[in-house]
C-alpha cells in the first residue's frame, strides 16, 4: 500500500494542481523563450510555461512528508532532488527575468551540481549506513572504494542531472524516459 501511495500521490498532485499551476505561470508570463536560429517547428513553443518542475518537486515533497518513513537516507534523497530543482529554477528564472534564451552559465550550473553532489557524497561517506562498498553487477562481489566513493557519487549526481537535461532538450523528451525508468524503480522497490 505504501508503494502505491508513494507512486500514486505525486501523480495525483500533478493531475489535481497541474492546470492551476500552468494558469499561474501563464499569468505571470513565465513562458519559454526559443532561439530564432533553430528549426521553425521549435518557434511554436515560444511562451509555453516553463518551471513545470515545481509541480514534480511539490508532489515528491508531499509524498515524503505524508507517506514515506523519514529516515536520514530518504531525507537526503529529497534534499538532493530539491537542490537540483533549485538550480533548474534559477536557470529558468534568469531566462524569464532577462527575457532571454540564456539562463545560468554552464560553469555556474556545474558548480552548483558539484556542491550538491559533494554534500551527498560527504553524507554517505561519513554518516550513512550505505557505506563505501559497491556491488559488481552479475557476480555479486563487493568492492570497498573507501574515500573514492566521494568522487564517484559526485560524478554520478552530475552525470545523472546532465543526462536528464540533455535528454529533455527543447522537446521535453525526458518525461517519457523518466516515466519508464521511474516505473522500473517502483517495481524493483
Amino acid at each position: 500500500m505504501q508503494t502505491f501511495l508513494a507512486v500514486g500521490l505525486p501523480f495525483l498532485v500533478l493531475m489535481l494542481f497541474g492546470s492551476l499551476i500552468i494558469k499561474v505561470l501563464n499569468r505571470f508570463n513565465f513562458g519559454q523563450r526559443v532561439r530564432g536560429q533553430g528549426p521553425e517547428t521549435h518557434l511554436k513553443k515560444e511562451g509555453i510555461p516553463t518551471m513545470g518542475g515545481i509541480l514534480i518537486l511539490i508532489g515528491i515533497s508531499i509524498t515524503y512528508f505524508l507517506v514515506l518513513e523519514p529516515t536520514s537516507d530518504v531525507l537526503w534523497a529529497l534534499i538532493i532532488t530539491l537542490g537540483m530543482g533549485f538550480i533548474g529554477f534559477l536557470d529558468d528564472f534568469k531566462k524569464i527575468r532577462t527575457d532571454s534564451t540564456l539562463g545560468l552559465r554552464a560553469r555556474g550550473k556545474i558548480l552548483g551540481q558539484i556542491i550538491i553532489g559533494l554534500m551527498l557524497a560527504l553524507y554517505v561517506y561519513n554518516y550513512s549506513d550505505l557505506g563505501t562498498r559497491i556491488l559488481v553487477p552479475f557476480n555479486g562481489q563487493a568492492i570497498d572504494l573507501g574515500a573514492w566513493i566521494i568522487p564517484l557519487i559526485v560524478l554520478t549526481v552530475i552525470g545523472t542531472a546532465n543526462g536528464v537535461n540533455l535528454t529533455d532538450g527543447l522537446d521535453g523528451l525526458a518525461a517519457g524516459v523518466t516515466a519508464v525508468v521511474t516505473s522500473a524503480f517502483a517495481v524493483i522497490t
Side-chain angles (χ1 to χ4, degrees), residues 166-181:
L166 292 173
T167 301
D168 191 35
L170 183 64
D171 297 327
L173 298 174
V177 173
T178 302
V180 171
V181 172

Side-chain angles (χ1 to χ4, degrees), residues 32-179:
Q32 189 168 355
R33 306 298 184 258
V34 178
R35 294 181 194 179
Q37 299 95 332
E40 286 187 33
T41 55
H42 287 179
L43 295 177
K44 66 183 178 186
K45 296 182 183 289
E46 182 77 30
I48 292 176
T50 187
M51 297 190 185
I54 290 172
L55 275 168
I56 295 168
L57 295 176
I58 290 170
I60 290 170
S61 298
I62 288 172
T63 300
Y64 171 78
F65 290 108
L66 295 181
V67 177
L68 301 176
E69 270 186 53
T71 66
S72 58
D73 289 345
V74 176
L75 176 61
W76 271 95
L78 179 64
I79 290 169
I80 300 307
T81 302
L82 293 176
M84 289 299 188
F86 184 68
I87 293 172
F89 170 80
L90 290 177
D91 186 46
D92 285 348
F93 188 76
K94 184 173 181 191
K95 290 175 189 175
I96 292 165
R97 178 87 181 210
T98 61
D99 197 27
S100 168
T101 59
L102 303 174
L104 296 175
R105 293 177 184 252
R107 70 184 114 162
K109 288 182 197 176
I110 291 290
L111 179 62
Q113 293 168 359
I114 289 171
I115 290 168
I116 291 169
L118 191 56
M119 287 170 41
L120 177 63
L122 292 173
Y123 163 73
V124 168
Y125 184 71
N126 291 310
Y127 304 107
S128 175
D129 292 334
L130 296 173
T132 59
R133 296 167 44 110
I134 60 169
L135 290 176
V136 178
F138 305 113
N139 74 5
Q141 299 293 322
I143 300 172
D144 191 352
L145 295 178
W148 286 103
I149 195 77
I150 295 172
L152 179 64
I153 290 172
V154 172
L155 287 173
T156 301
V157 168
I158 293 170
T160 303
N162 287 296
V164 171
N165 192 29
L166 292 173
T167 301
D168 191 35
L170 183 64
D171 297 327
L173 298 174
V177 173
T178 302

Side-chain angles (χ1 to χ4, degrees), residues 5-17:
L5 283 173
V7 173
L9 190 58
F11 179 75
L12 186 63
V13 168
L14 291 171
M15 296 307 294
L16 291 176
F17 299 107

